[in-house]
Amino acid sequence: VELLLKDQSGGTLYASLLLSAQPITVTIEGSNENDDLWIDLSGLYSTDASGTVTERFPASLVFDALGGDDAVAFMGDSALDGSITVHAESISLASGRTLNASSSVLFAATADLQTLTTENAAPGTISGSNTAAVTIEGELQAASIRLEAVTQGNVTTRSLGNFATAINDFEDQATISIGAGGMLSADGDIELLARRTTTYYAQGLV
């Protein structure tokens, strides 16, 4: 079994990995840029008449997007012999697609502003967005499922001049969305956690 990592538009081959039949863990790390990863393992996916998976990708999969504003989308029917772990700002399962793991699934969407500090003598405004999202439009099947969407970071704006205002203008969203065609199916626990933990502080002088 060969795993290929290609460019979405031109099909340029970035990397390939030859896998044995023995289950292993494949780890893919992103960059510090804005990564957009589509995963399609439908070439190794088949079911019998009852819908039971009969052919699986022989590995667990871990994707860690690292820096940037990153998106991971499961675009084809896929089944893995092991677990699936994804860390990115946006994680999705496309409509009409099935993702099956013989072990656990963890989708951890985390948006982290880290520490942003602005200090000005004049009135100051800092703006932006901080969005973490998990979207399930297809069917997700596993022994256990955990979906997380968390925003975090610390934003501080200070205006140091007399009668100067300070404003933080941010869109902060942590969402888990199960669409009309979406379904979660697990033998064990199904956990969903959406939480906004970003702190915003603005200080003006009068």
Side-chain angles (χ1 to χ4, degrees):
V1 177
E2 188 175 17
L3 177 65
L4 303 178
L5 184 62
K6 293 183 176 183
D7 179 81
Q8 293 173 9
S9 54
T12 301
L13 181 63
Y14 292 135
S16 64
L17 178 65
L18 190 63
L19 304 179
S20 67
Q22 179 66 33
I24 61 173
T25 297
V26 175
T27 300
I28 301 172
E29 291 187 344
S31 67
N32 288 323
E33 304 299 324
N34 297 335
D35 299 313
D36 188 5
L37 178 68
W38 292 0
I39 299 174
D40 183 354
L41 301 175
S42 56
L44 273 178
Y45 178 87
S46 61
T47 60
D48 60 20
S50 67
T52 302
V53 174
T54 57
E55 187 176 15
R56 295 177 178 276
F57 183 74
S60 294
L61 179 65
V62 176
F63 180 75
D64 191 344
L66 301 179
D69 188 2
D70 307 301
V72 175
F74 289 85
M75 302 298 290
D77 293 325
S78 304
L80 289 89
D81 190 7
S83 61
I84 304 169
T85 302
V86 180
H87 295 272
E89 281 75 12
S90 172
I91 306 168
S92 63
L93 173 59
S95 176
R97 301 304 182 183
T98 297
L99 176 60
N100 179 292
S102 63
S103 185
S104 62
V105 168
L106 170 61
F107 285 174
T110 303
D112 188 356
L113 289 173
Q114 300 185 12
T115 300
L116 297 177
T117 301
T118 300
E119 292 185 339
N120 292 298
T125 299
I126 184 170
S127 61
S129 64
N130 198 30
T131 303
V134 175
T135 304
I136 306 297
E137 299 287 350
E139 185 169 356
L140 181 57
Q141 307 166 344
S144 63
I145 296 171
R146 181 175 175 87
L147 308 180
E148 301 177 1
V150 178
T151 62
Q152 58 192 34
N154 297 280
V155 178
T156 299
T157 304
R158 292 189 181 94
S159 295
L160 305 179
N162 292 332
F163 304 103
T165 58
I167 299 172
N168 291 321
D169 183 12
F170 274 79
E171 180 181 10
D172 196 298
Q173 294 184 340
T175 59
I176 297 173
S177 175
I178 311 297
M183 180 181 297
L184 305 180
S185 176
D187 299 326
D189 294 337
I190 296 177
E191 300 176 274
L192 284 72
L193 170 67
R195 181 173 60 192
R196 294 184 300 160
T197 65
T198 317
T199 60
Y200 296 93
Y201 177 77
Q203 180 183 34
L205 296 180
V206 294

